[in-house]
Amino acid sequence: MNFKAIAIAAAAAAAATSVQAADLPADIAPVDYVRINDAYGAGFFVLPGTETAIKIGGRIRVEARFTDLLDDEDYSREDNNHNFRSRANLRIDTRTQSELGLIRTYMDFQYTSNSDSRDAAGVKLDKGYVQIGGFTFGLATSAFDLWTGELASNLFDRHLADDTVWQASYTHALGNGLTIAASIEDNADREQGVFVGPAADLNTAGNTLPSFVAKVLLNQGWGYAGLSGAVTKVDASGNRNSSEVGYAVAGAVGFNLDMIAPGDVINFQAAYADGAMAYVGAEGDIADAVLNTDGDIETNKAWSVAGGYMHNWTSELSSGVEASYLDVESGEETILADFNEVVVAGTMEYRPVSGLLFSAGAGWKQKDEDRSSKEDAAVLNFRVQRSF
C-alpha cells in the first residue's frame, strides 16, 4: 500500500471540505454595540437601534437639620427641633436631532423620606418636560427665575424666585450670548391667596388665568446679566367681580472671579412685586393681597435684594455666603402688618472626589414686624450627597 499517496489524498479532501465550508453563508446575528455620544455632554449614549442619545443619572442626599437654637423660636414638645432627611432623585435626559430641531425630554423623579413628617413624602415628578427647538412644554423652572443661589446646604430660604411651574414657553437665541424668552405659566404654583378680616384668614380663589412671563438674558465670559417680568391675576373667592392685576420685575447680574480663584462667582439680584409675593421670594404665609371691609382687594407690595459670593480655596474645598433683605408693605395694615426680614447663610463644602459632597451650613433670620418685637431664628445643617 502506498502510504504517501493515501496521505496526499486525505490532505486534498480536507482542503476541499474547508473551501466548501467557507463558501457557506454564516448565520450570525450582528452585534449592535452601544455608542457613546458626547455631543450633549458627558454620560450620553445612543439607544441601540435609534438615533436618540440618553443619559441616566441622579443623586442621593442625606442630611441632618437642627433648629430651635434661639429663644425666639416657637418650639414645643410636639415639634422636632432636629430633622433627618433622605432624598433620592432619578433623572433621565434624552436628545434627538430632527427636522424640527433638537427634541429633548427630561424627567426628574424625586423621593423624600423626612423624619419631621414621621413618614415618607412619596414620589413626585420634580421636573418633566418636552423641548422642541426653542419651545418648552411641561413642568420646568420658571422663565422668571434668574439667580437661585449657590449654597449646597438646606438653610433658610433667601428671598429669591426659585420655582418649578407648569408652562408653555419659547426661548430664542439672538446671538453673542443674548437670549429672550416668553412663557405662559400656571399661576396656581405661585398664587398665595388673599387675607380676609381681622383674623387674617387666608382666602384662595380658583385659578382663572395663567401668568405671563418674559425674560432677557445675556451670558458672556465675564458672567451674566438678566431682566425678567411677570403679570398675574389676583382673585378672592365668592366675588368674581373683584380682582386685581399683580406683577413683578427682577434684575440680576453675576461676575466670574477667576482672577481670585478658578470658579469663584459673585451674584446680585433685586426684585419688586405688587400682588405677586412669590416672585420676590416672599413665600410661606405672606398673602398676595388683603380684602378690606368694603370687599375690595388691596394688593400687598414687596421688594427684595440679595447677593452671594462663592470662593474656592482649593479644587476640593469651597465656602459661600449669601444674604437677602425683604420689605413687605401691606395693602391694609389692620389685616396684615408691614414687616421686613433679613436672612444670612453660609456653608463650607468639601468635594474629595467627583460627584461626592460633604457640606456644613449655618443660617440666621430676623423678622421685624410693625407693632411687634423682632424675632430671630437660627439653623444648622449637615449634608452628604452623591451625584451620578
Side-chain angles (χ1 to χ4, degrees), residues 43-45 47 52-59 89-95 104-110 125 127-130 388:
F44 281 91
F45 62 93
L47 287 171
T52 296
I54 184 171
K55 179 179 180 178
I56 301 174
R59 71 182 180 195
N89 290 74
L90 175 63
R91 294 161 177 167
I92 303 174
D93 191 346
T94 73
R95 316 282 182 97
R104 180 191 184 192
T105 66
Y106 185 81
M107 296 158 279
D108 186 349
F109 299 97
Q110 180 173 282
L125 182 65
K127 290 182 176 66
Y129 55 84
V130 177
F388 57 91

Side-chain angles (χ1 to χ4, degrees), residues 134 170-174 177-182 214-217:
Y170 178 71
T171 302
H172 180 67
L174 298 175
L178 183 64
T179 60
I180 56 174
K215 176 170 66 177
V216 56
L217 184 64

Side-chain angles (χ1 to χ4, degrees), residues 97-182:
Q97 292 292 344
S98 74
E99 296 178 355
L100 299 177
L102 178 66
I103 299 177
R104 180 191 184 192
T105 66
Y106 185 81
M107 296 158 279
D108 186 349
F109 299 97
Q110 180 173 282
Y111 181 85
T112 303
S113 180
N114 205 345
S115 69
D116 192 36
S117 58
R118 305 292 185 180
D119 58 9
V123 177
K124 75 169 187 176
L125 182 65
D126 190 58
K127 290 182 176 66
Y129 55 84
V130 177
Q131 290 181 323
I132 306 171
F135 291 94
T136 299
F137 306 98
L139 186 61
T141 299
S142 171
F144 182 88
D145 300 348
L146 297 169
W147 178 53
T148 58
E150 308 285 342
L151 303 186
S153 286
N154 178 24
L155 301 165
F156 293 125
D157 290 336
R158 273 70 75 205
H159 302 107
L160 303 169
D162 183 12
D163 284 296
T164 300
V165 299
W166 299 98
Q167 62 182 272
S169 62
Y170 178 71
T171 302
H172 180 67
L174 298 175
N176 296 320
L178 183 64
T179 60
I180 56 174

